[in-house]
Amino acid sequence: MTQQFNKKQVIEKIMPVIDNTAMRHNLIPLEVSLEKENGHWFLRIFIYSPDHPVNHSDCEHITRGLGDLLDELIPFKYYLEVSSPGLERRLKSTKEYVIFKGHNVIIKVKEPIDDNYPKKFGAKILDYNEGLGVKILTSDTKKEYTINLDNIFSTRLDDVDFKEDKGE
């Protein structure tokens, strides 16, 4: 007999454990997903470090810290994958605009933010306000704009930001 599970309820149940484990290692879970692929469940956790690029050791700490705790909370067999979000990650939540404040991004907008300005451009995230949107500084013109989230088609991290941090 196949038992049905509500993915949202399972994630809500395990998030405090994931948050707590990540916090102990000075890491932030950016995204947690539970997906069924080819008959197998996969719990994927993407982590971020405010101090350094996420490395293999960070992923290992989270994996070991969560293993037995999650097994008690998740009532079915699953595969745990912990990884870095990647250098060119698309921002998927408003929380990420706060986390990546000060970072360079590539933004695609639905409507131009200014006359004769392209719909895709580089910028630095200056701030995020839930009511107003994302405050940015454009890379080329060095002008500040606040863009409503409804006008943003996509935002992704620009790896130039990370190369500059490493002195490249």
Side-chain angles (χ1 to χ4, degrees):
M1 182 171 95
T2 304
Q3 192 173 3
Q4 296 295 320
F5 299 98
N6 183 316
K7 291 190 315 184
K8 185 177 177 183
Q9 287 177 343
V10 171
I11 288 176
E12 285 174 0
K13 187 168 142 181
I14 63 175
M15 276 310 297
V17 173
I18 294 170
D19 285 333
N20 190 18
T21 302
M23 186 176 57
R24 284 195 317 250
H25 297 286
N26 198 30
L27 298 166
I28 301 167
L30 291 180
E31 181 181 349
V32 176
S33 68
L34 184 62
E35 302 297 328
K36 193 168 191 176
E37 296 175 8
N38 298 322
H40 301 284
W41 285 100
F42 290 87
L43 175 61
R44 293 186 176 103
I45 303 171
F46 294 92
I47 56 175
Y48 170 74
S49 170
D51 303 330
H52 62 275
V54 172
N55 56 43
H56 182 74
S57 179
D58 293 324
C59 296
E60 187 177 335
H61 288 308
I62 299 299
T63 301
R64 288 180 187 217
L66 289 174
D68 293 338
L69 297 171
L70 292 180
D71 289 345
E72 293 176 14
L73 296 173
I74 300 175
F76 50 86
K77 184 179 177 186
Y78 65 94
Y79 295 94
L80 176 62
E81 295 177 358
V82 179
S83 63
S84 160
L87 294 181
E88 295 185 358
R89 174 186 173 73
R90 287 179 82 154
L91 303 189
K92 296 181 180 180
S93 70
T94 55
K95 167 177 127 175
E96 291 180 74
Y97 286 102
V98 175
I99 291 170
F100 292 112
K101 180 179 173 179
H103 286 268
N104 293 324
V105 292
I106 303 294
I107 299 177
K108 287 184 187 177
V109 291
K110 297 172 186 171
E111 297 296 325
I113 58 173
D114 204 346
D115 291 341
N116 300 318
Y117 204 74
K119 288 187 176 183
K120 179 181 177 183
F121 55 91
K124 179 180 278 195
I125 298 174
L126 299 178
D127 202 4
Y128 172 75
N129 178 298
E130 191 172 326
L132 300 174
V134 182
K135 185 176 183 180
I136 54 112
L137 177 69
T138 59
S139 300
D140 55 357
T141 63
K142 303 297 183 202
K143 288 186 179 179
E144 288 186 15
Y145 294 93
T146 299
I147 307 171
N148 188 299
L149 288 183
D150 292 339
N151 191 30
I152 296 177
F153 180 74
S154 69
T155 304
R156 70 173 173 78
L157 294 176
D158 186 358
D159 69 343
V160 170
D161 191 41
F162 294 92
K163 288 177 185 170
E164 288 173 358
D165 288 346
K166 291 181 180 180
E168 293 180 15

